[in-house]
Amino acid sequence: MDKLAVGMEKNIRRNYVFSFLMNLRLSGGLWMIYMAFKGMSLTQIGLLEGIFHVTSLAMEVPTGSIADLFGRKLSRALGRCMSLASILILIASSDFTHFLFFMVLSALSYNLESGSGEALVYDSLKYLGKSEEFMRIAGKQEAIFQCSSIVAFLVGGLLGTLDYHLAFWVSAAIITFTIGYSLLFVEPPIDSDSTGFSPKRSLKGFARQIADSFGVIAKTRKVAFLILFTQTMLAFCTCIFFYMQNFWKGEGMSEFQIGVLLAIGSLAAGVTASKVHKLQTLLREKRMLIVLPLAAVISIWALALSPFKAPFFILISMFEAMLFVTSSDYINRLIPSQYRATIISFSSMVFSVVMIVIFPSFGKMADTFSFGIAFISLAAVGSFLYGLNMRVLAKLEM
């Protein structure tokens, strides 16, 4: 095995560790509660999350191009630096303006990682001739990611009951370590395809990279559909994940109790994500895209109408993780390496567009009426969109 191949093998193993550490955000189950503690209304929290996604919308594709043109490793390291800056600002935050800067920097850290990490893993496998193993490895990575969430929610919830800032400072220390760890990755070659692609690190080359990536999406209807369909469903599940924290806090739960429920959801998601490649062999692609979103929509309705919300929250977490892993595999099979990070970032941009609309709307509805009405409205819109997407899916060759 040549030296570069050894580096690609190490990338896969190192990415498991990096995923665990990157997601060990003790603030993940606390920041919305912390903002409420600091006097932010649900409407203001919704607006702040909207600002996060406006930033993400604007910067997602450019940061993906950074990963394609300048390297996935550099993009990941920059993302970790932005994450550290954001958590330090959160520690010092006391009003809406401070939280706004926290959200902007958090979005940039997310943008810089969203395309680069997945592209680094897929192209490492592609160099090794093992790209067919991506779904299995992505499932394992998602399981590790969720295990990290379990630790983060439990420890963060425990520390949050003592002092919010204590949880944030520990998160800052972990992020600082991941900055150094991100430099251990070996950059996979991405210009070896038969397309004659050669990255040009200039403003003109940067614009060309973005334009060519959009061209790939426009020419491949299946890629466009997979991105729009799956990111919409994932956004609905994410909205529930965040607002359930405030719902349970309003029901009198402590930060630690909320952390336990979030941890159980992550455990269930991790287990199912690690096994989803086996389900894929039974249902195949088109059926997976019918069954998983339908199960998610049914679970959202059950959460909205049932007084016992925790079991259905856990089910939503499971279906979200399974849909994320399967859609990532399907999309990566269809896109060239030289545009991979940019197109994956475009996928995240679609997620942000949906979140910009539904997150503030949900917060406003919960403030004006109740959480119950907001959950029912979300379920109704999700059902409509699922039906619309099924009509499109029926016309595509999958």
Side-chain angles (χ1 to χ4, degrees):
M1 185 179 290
D2 63 75
K3 187 176 180 181
L4 186 56
V6 172
M8 298 301 101
E9 291 279 6
K10 289 182 178 179
N11 276 352
I12 307 303
R13 296 193 297 272
R14 285 170 177 162
N15 197 64
Y16 291 144
V17 177
F18 184 85
S19 295
F20 183 88
L21 294 173
M22 185 187 70
N23 198 44
L24 202 60
R25 301 187 303 267
L26 306 188
S27 60
L30 296 174
W31 67 265
M32 285 190 66
I33 302 172
Y34 179 69
M35 287 182 181
F37 172 74
K38 286 291 186 176
M40 299 296 103
S41 67
L42 290 176
T43 302
Q44 287 176 309
I45 292 172
L47 287 172
L48 286 165
E49 180 70 10
I51 289 167
F52 174 99
H53 291 287
V54 167
T55 304
S56 185
L57 174 65
M59 298 305 298
E60 196 57 89
V61 172
T63 54
S65 297
I66 287 172
D68 279 333
L69 294 177
F70 296 93
R72 286 86 157 99
K73 183 169 76 171
L74 174 64
S75 183
R76 295 193 108 175
L78 289 174
R80 294 292 82 207
C81 291
M82 290 292 182
S83 182
L84 178 61
S86 71
I87 199 73
L88 293 176
I89 288 177
L90 179 62
I91 291 170
S93 294
S94 59
D95 57 32
F96 185 88
T97 303
H98 293 154
F99 289 127
L100 184 151
F101 284 112
F102 159 70
M103 283 298 194
V104 169
L105 289 175
S106 294
L108 289 173
S109 71
Y110 169 80
N111 293 157
L112 287 161
E113 169 61 28
S114 63
S116 59
E118 187 175 322
L120 186 146
V121 171
Y122 194 91
D123 284 321
S124 295
L125 288 169
K126 187 174 181 180
Y127 181 84
L128 295 167
K130 299 179 179 179
S131 56
E132 73 282 354
E133 295 185 20
F134 178 76
M135 183 179 286
R136 179 183 63 81
I137 288 172
K140 185 177 179 180
Q141 181 180 316
E142 181 67 14
I144 291 170
F145 193 85
Q146 296 295 347
C147 286
S148 177
S149 294
I150 293 169
V151 176
F153 291 142
L154 292 176
V155 176
L158 181 60
L159 294 179
T161 59
L162 302 174
D163 186 344
Y164 288 116
H165 285 172
L166 181 59
F168 299 157
W169 278 116
V170 175
S171 287
I174 294 169
I175 294 167
T176 301
F177 178 80
T178 62
I179 293 173
Y181 192 86
S182 67
L183 301 178
L184 297 177
F185 288 103
V186 178
E187 193 68 37
I190 62 169
D191 57 349
S192 57
D193 288 353
S194 58
T195 57
F197 173 81
S198 178
K200 296 180 180 179
R201 298 171 181 177
S202 63
L203 185 60
K204 185 177 180 180
F206 192 75
R208 173 74 181 274
Q209 174 72 13
I210 295 175
D212 288 349
S213 298
F214 275 103
V216 171
I217 297 170
K219 292 175 184 177
T220 314
R221 292 175 61 203
K222 187 175 177 180
V223 171
F225 168 77
L226 286 169
I227 289 173
L228 292 170
F229 178 44
T230 58
Q231 292 303 316
T232 299
M233 296 306 302
L234 293 174
F236 275 63
C237 295
T238 301
C239 185
I240 289 172
F241 171 83
F242 283 117
Y243 276 113
M244 282 305 299
Q245 299 170 28
N246 293 82
F247 172 81
W248 281 325
K249 185 64 178 177
E251 294 289 298
M253 288 189 182
S254 69
E255 285 79 1
F256 181 69
Q257 289 173 315
I258 294 170
V260 169
L261 288 173
L262 298 179
I264 293 172
S266 291
L267 176 62
V271 171
T272 51
S274 67
K275 304 297 181 184
V276 72
H277 65 282
K278 296 183 178 180
L279 183 62
Q280 156 69 14
T281 60
L282 296 174
L283 295 181
R284 300 300 177 186
E285 185 174 340
K286 191 167 185 176
R287 289 181 181 176
M288 291 283 279
L289 292 173
I290 294 172
V291 172
L292 293 180
L294 177 61
V297 169
I298 292 172
S299 298
I300 293 172
W301 271 111
L303 180 140
L305 299 174
S306 173
F308 307 104
K309 300 195 182 302
F312 301 109
F313 170 82
I314 293 167
L315 284 174
I316 292 168
S317 299
M318 292 167 57
F319 296 128
E320 178 188 16
M322 295 167 72
L323 184 60
F324 173 76
V325 172
T326 54
S327 64
S328 294
D329 181 69
Y330 298 155
I331 291 169
N332 273 293
R333 290 184 208 168
L334 299 170
I335 54 180
S337 292
Q338 60 266 37
Y339 307 119
R340 192 177 310 285
T342 309
I343 292 175
I344 294 171
S345 291
F346 172 78
S347 181
S348 297
M349 186 182 77
V350 172
F351 175 86
S352 293
V353 170
V354 181
M355 288 292 283
I356 287 168
V357 175
I358 67 168
F359 208 93
S361 300
F362 188 102
K364 181 65 175 177
M365 191 166 292
D367 262 343
T368 305
F369 302 104
S370 68
F371 269 111
I373 297 297
F375 283 130
I376 290 172
S377 300
L378 192 68
V381 175
S383 299
F384 171 77
L385 292 175
Y386 175 79
L388 186 64
N389 284 317
M390 285 305 98
R391 291 190 64 182
V392 178
L393 181 63
K395 297 177 182 179
L396 284 178
E397 295 183 6
M398 302 292 282

